Amino acid sequence: MSTSMDERRPFPEDLIMDILLRLPVESLLRFKCVCKHWYALIKSPSFMEKHFHHKNNPARLLICNLKVAHEGDAIVKSVVFSLLPEKIVPGVTPEQKTLLQLPRVSDFTCVAGPVYGLFLVQKKFYGDVRLGLWNPATREFRALPPAPFEIEDFFSDYDHKFGFGFDLLTQDYKVVWIRVFWDEPEHGVYPRVYACVYSSCNNSWKNLTTEIPSSCTISPSLDATYLNGVYYWLSRDLDEIYRIRSFDMGSEQFGEMQGPDIPSKHWGRLTLHGDSLTMLAGDPGKPMTSIYDVWIMKQEGSWSKVLTVQPSIGAHWPRNIWENDKMLFEINETSQLVLYDPTTRQVTDLGFQLDLNIAGCWVFNYKESLAPIKRGNESQGQDNNAVEQIEHFFDIIPI
């Protein structure tokens, strides 16, 4: 006996939840329009968190490749963000999915992240630096307002580093900006370190007090080194000892701890390895054929060496770590980006032709996220076309 439509029972709530959690962000953005209940469910913070950590949302490699070409007397930059599949077959070049392609950009500098699926992008702007937040999965982008650095006119910009993270208490994305300025020689003033922090909820910056010494050199990370509400940088002072600088996104306080016990002359970079802060270290005395050690911080200031890798490849430069032990390298001779498996010594070409004349390749461990980019009390539906927003932000060169 058939059952009429009115007599059919709706799907159980837990079954609907289980189905939706398995879907990619692209599908969920469409399904928000099905009904008010689904709309509220998909936009809820608890659903976003469950979806981000779901087994159907594994970490994948996201490659940002910047190239420079000459058109007559003009220098033209282009940038492509490509996502690789979840499984990469050894020896087989994986298929690339283009998330964003900007064929002509004038001011693209770098990209940092991800933190819960969001990226911090950077560009030069008449000698200054401007920042923006971008979610590739939801295609949302927002430019950040200028930072309120109160600098004397005779100071010149010397160096700057960024940290990008999440305040677990207020559910707020934050950006911390450390900037070192150098006085003109005739003034006889040492370099000065300034810092400020941006709140995505308030869409505003505020100045911070920092005790980071001006002599401190902060190294760029391989990936976003944000973990459990804290952002970390690798640094060395005049004593050439590696230290870990940190910034707590909740208390907005800087901290310092001991780094791994490695020779001061060794090269080092921070990244994340699973849920642990990780340092990749190598011997620069063996250029391009280095033996790399992978150190993991078990607890604050306590480090353990978990892996040693000696890649059987030619001249190269390390770009990141993927999964448990695989590493990504730029190959100097062929301008390739490859994935290296130290267990099998298998080298897999990832299908990218790099421009090794510029620092223009970034490799990220990326997971999709539904996280919105908040800005005060404004509607999240105002900036829907991320491509147009980013193109405008990076000042497209007219053809």
Side-chain angles (χ1 to χ4, degrees):
M1 182 171 146
S2 62
T3 305
S4 67
M5 290 289 293
D6 294 338
E7 293 175 345
R8 290 178 181 173
R9 296 182 179 180
F11 283 109
E13 185 69 21
D14 57 347
L15 181 57
I16 293 176
M17 173 74 80
D18 184 61
I19 294 174
L20 292 178
L21 286 174
R22 297 172 182 269
L23 299 178
V25 168
E26 184 178 8
S27 298
L28 293 172
L29 294 178
R30 297 198 307 267
F31 290 164
K32 286 196 302 183
C33 302
V34 171
C35 63
K36 291 182 178 179
H37 175 63
W38 282 25
Y39 178 87
L41 175 64
I42 294 171
K43 285 183 67 68
S44 67
S46 61
F47 181 88
M48 292 180 187
E49 183 177 2
K50 290 177 181 178
H51 180 269
F52 182 78
H53 294 290
H54 197 275
K55 63 182 180 180
N56 278 36
N57 186 30
R60 298 162 68 180
L61 288 173
L62 176 63
I63 315 297
C64 173
N65 191 16
L66 176 65
K67 291 189 175 183
V68 174
H70 294 271
E71 294 185 3
D73 295 332
I75 297 176
V76 179
K77 292 181 181 180
S78 63
V79 62
V80 180
F81 291 85
S82 305
L83 186 64
L84 300 187
E86 176 187 349
K87 299 295 183 183
I88 297 179
V89 180
V92 178
T93 302
E95 182 179 354
Q96 303 172 15
K97 178 182 178 181
T98 300
L99 295 188
L100 178 67
Q101 182 171 4
L102 304 176
R104 300 175 69 87
V105 295
S106 61
D107 294 319
F108 187 92
T109 308
C110 76
V111 61
V115 174
Y116 295 137
L118 270 60
F119 287 91
L120 178 72
V121 294
Q122 175 192 156
K123 76 165 188 174
K124 293 288 186 182
F125 184 79
Y126 295 106
D128 201 353
V129 175
R130 294 294 171 86
L131 305 172
L133 294 179
W134 173 49
N135 186 332
T138 62
R139 300 176 183 176
E140 184 184 11
F141 176 85
R142 294 200 188 280
L144 274 57
F149 287 107
E150 299 175 1
I151 309 299
E152 301 291 342
D153 292 339
F154 52 78
F155 274 22
S156 59
D157 197 357
Y158 175 64
D159 190 20
H160 54 83
K161 291 296 184 291
F162 301 98
F164 177 36
F166 190 67
D167 186 334
L168 298 172
L169 182 61
T170 62
Q171 303 290 292
D172 186 11
Y173 286 92
K174 293 182 177 180
V175 178
V176 58
W177 187 348
I178 303 171
R179 205 166 186 178
V180 181
F181 287 85
W182 192 275
D183 190 3
E184 295 297 331
E186 60 266 24
H187 293 281
V189 179
Y190 290 103
R192 299 187 185 181
V193 181
Y194 294 80
C196 61
V197 62
Y198 168 82
S199 163
S200 180
C201 287
N202 300 328
N203 191 38
S204 63
W205 295 86
K206 70 177 181 180
N207 289 306
L208 298 171
T209 300
T210 174
E211 296 181 355
I212 296 177
S214 59
S215 60
C216 169
T217 300
I218 297 177
S219 302
S221 300
L222 295 175
D223 219 330
T225 44
Y226 163 83
L227 190 64
N228 300 327
V230 179
Y231 197 91
Y232 299 92
W233 301 270
L234 183 66
S235 71
R236 279 198 290 186
D237 293 345
L238 295 177
D239 58 11
E240 295 190 342
I241 295 176
Y242 277 114
R243 293 180 176 85
I244 308 298
R245 307 280 176 180
S246 64
F247 181 78
D248 190 301
M249 295 291 167
S251 66
E252 297 184 349
Q253 297 292 317
F254 289 94
E256 177 186 333
M257 70 181 71
Q258 193 68 35
D261 184 18
I262 63 175
S264 61
K265 299 298 183 181
H266 276 207
W267 170 92
R269 289 292 186 270
L270 286 185
T271 186
L272 293 183
H273 188 250
D275 294 326
S276 299
L277 185 65
T278 302
M279 181 172 174
L280 180 66
D283 183 357
K286 301 176 181 177
M288 308 305 178
T289 57
S290 179
I291 299 175
Y292 298 98
D293 292 327
V294 179
W295 296 77
I296 286 182
M297 188 174 73
K298 297 295 186 180
Q299 53 187 353
E300 186 171 313
S302 175
W303 295 81
S304 175
K305 184 166 67 174
V306 296
L307 182 67
T308 296
V309 178
Q310 185 174 11
S312 53
I313 56 179
H316 62 272
W317 188 253
R319 277 298 162 197
N320 215 331
I321 303 172
W322 188 51
E323 292 186 334
N324 293 326
D325 58 356
K326 298 179 181 65
M327 295 182 62
L328 292 107
F329 295 102
E330 290 183 6
I331 305 298
N332 289 14
E333 184 178 355
T334 60
S335 301
Q336 293 173 288
L337 181 68
V338 302
L339 181 67
Y340 178 76
D341 187 332
T343 302
T344 62
R345 300 201 170 193
Q346 177 77 52
V347 179
T348 301
D349 178 18
L350 297 181
F352 294 88
Q353 196 66 25
L354 307 179
D355 190 337
L356 300 183
N357 294 317
I358 58 172
C361 177
W362 295 269
V363 178
F364 305 102
N365 289 276
Y366 170 71
K367 296 177 66 173
E368 284 192 339
S369 170
L370 285 159
I373 302 173
K374 300 178 182 178
R375 185 170 71 180
N377 296 320
E378 296 182 5
S379 168
Q380 294 300 312
Q382 292 182 359
D383 298 338
N384 291 322
N385 194 329
V387 175
E388 291 183 3
Q389 293 288 323
I390 296 178
E391 286 181 345
H392 178 73
F393 180 78
F394 285 117
D395 188 18
I396 293 296
I397 304 174
I399 298 176

